[in-house]
Amino acid sequence: MNLDRVFENNEGWIKDKLTLNPNYFEELGEGQNPELLFIGCSDSRVTAEELMGLGPGEVFVHRNIANMVIGTDLNVMSVVEYAVVHLKVNHVVVCGHFACGGVKAAMQSADLGILNPWLRNIRDVYRIHKTELNAIDCEEKKYDRLVELNVQEQCVNLIKTAAVQKAFRDRGLKVHGWVFDIHTGKLIDLKIDFDAILKNIMEIYHLD
Ligand code: CO
């Protein structure tokens, strides 16, 4: 890829934005007030704002391999704290995607060096849901289901944080689990029953 193209694209994008609103960048410079925190995969095909049809200023984004919410990862924890406590977003989304390379790698026996401890968190999801997953004969379906269950468990990890628990109680913050179907482009709401999950985990994880 010739990176000159990127800078040419940028010039075109500036022109497009100014045609619609001459004050576009002045307004953008005034600050942000996003309503949504999106935690997605770093995969180049999962384009956060683009697939949701949202623009600059509308969504706070964090992406890592396999959209993980790991309690000891200072990066994702700082993003959650900042978005929930300071920006006061009303929705937090964990968005996985079918054909996720990170999830696939966690289903195989391979030493991947520094990726091992990261992928181990997905293996933990497999272990928690081993009975359900092992009952699925079709490898492709098992893979898709692990993508969904991984999203669910990362949502549970969000609920374990004090910031999310406080925002739930004080202003009804909502957590959502979605999957992007890379084969069709469709965004699927897993409609995870958070009330049930919350009741189940709060006995142990209640902080505030
Ligand atoms: Co992925």
Side-chain angles (χ1 to χ4, degrees):
M1 187 199 282
N2 181 352
L3 292 185
D4 289 344
R5 199 181 103 203
V6 170
F7 290 91
E8 284 160 20
N9 289 347
N10 173 249
E11 292 296 335
W13 177 74
I14 293 169
K15 273 194 202 108
D16 290 349
K17 291 292 179 197
L18 292 178
T19 309
L20 290 168
N21 176 5
N23 300 319
Y24 185 80
F25 293 102
E26 279 159 42
E27 287 168 15
L28 212 54
E30 281 167 14
Q32 60 171 337
N33 191 22
E35 281 214 35
L36 179 72
L37 165 61
F38 178 95
I39 300 170
C41 184
S42 296
D43 192 303
S44 59
R45 301 164 295 179
V46 185
T47 57
E49 291 96 332
E50 196 183 324
L51 73 89
M52 295 188 286
L54 298 177
E58 291 188 283
V59 53
F60 203 68
V61 175
H62 178 79
R63 292 167 69 181
N64 62 38
I65 293 177
N67 41 270
M68 304 301 287
V69 179
I70 297 169
T72 52
D73 175 17
L74 200 54
N75 192 347
V76 70
M77 284 298 121
S78 301
V79 168
V80 169
E81 180 81 12
Y82 186 67
V84 172
V85 177
H86 298 277
L87 293 174
K88 295 196 173 354
V89 296
N90 291 321
H91 302 273
V92 183
V93 172
V94 176
C95 184
H97 68 102
F98 293 143
C100 181
V103 172
K104 183 105 194 163
M107 289 175 78
Q108 292 161 349
S109 306
D111 180 356
L112 296 171
I114 190 65
L115 282 168
N116 291 339
W118 191 259
L119 298 176
R120 194 172 303 140
N121 294 286
I122 310 173
R123 292 185 199 275
D124 290 341
V125 174
Y126 196 111
R127 179 171 48 80
I128 294 166
H129 298 277
K130 191 176 142 190
T131 312
E132 179 186 342
L133 289 165
N134 283 352
I136 303 171
D137 285 333
C138 169
E139 274 304 304
E140 205 57 32
K141 284 205 178 96
K142 191 187 284 189
Y143 181 16
D144 288 352
R145 185 60 184 144
L146 183 55
V147 165
E148 292 174 355
L149 290 169
N150 185 47
V151 166
Q152 182 177 310
E153 289 303 325
Q154 302 322 309
C155 290
V156 171
N157 287 344
L158 278 172
I159 298 167
K160 291 174 189 169
T161 67
V164 169
Q165 289 181 16
K166 227 175 261 173
F168 254 137
R169 189 196 60 203
D170 295 348
R171 55 191 169 85
L173 172 89
K174 294 211 162 51
V175 173
H176 311 266
W178 296 350
V179 168
F180 175 62
D181 184 349
I182 233 158
H183 309 293
T184 62
K186 211 171 163 52
L187 202 51
I188 303 157
D189 185 349
L190 295 177
K191 297 198 165 61
I192 295 167
D193 184 356
F194 285 108
D195 285 341
I197 289 175
L198 208 59
K199 263 189 213 128
N200 186 30
I201 72 158
M202 283 310 247
E203 181 192 343
I204 297 165
Y205 294 101
H206 192 266
L207 297 175
D208 183 70

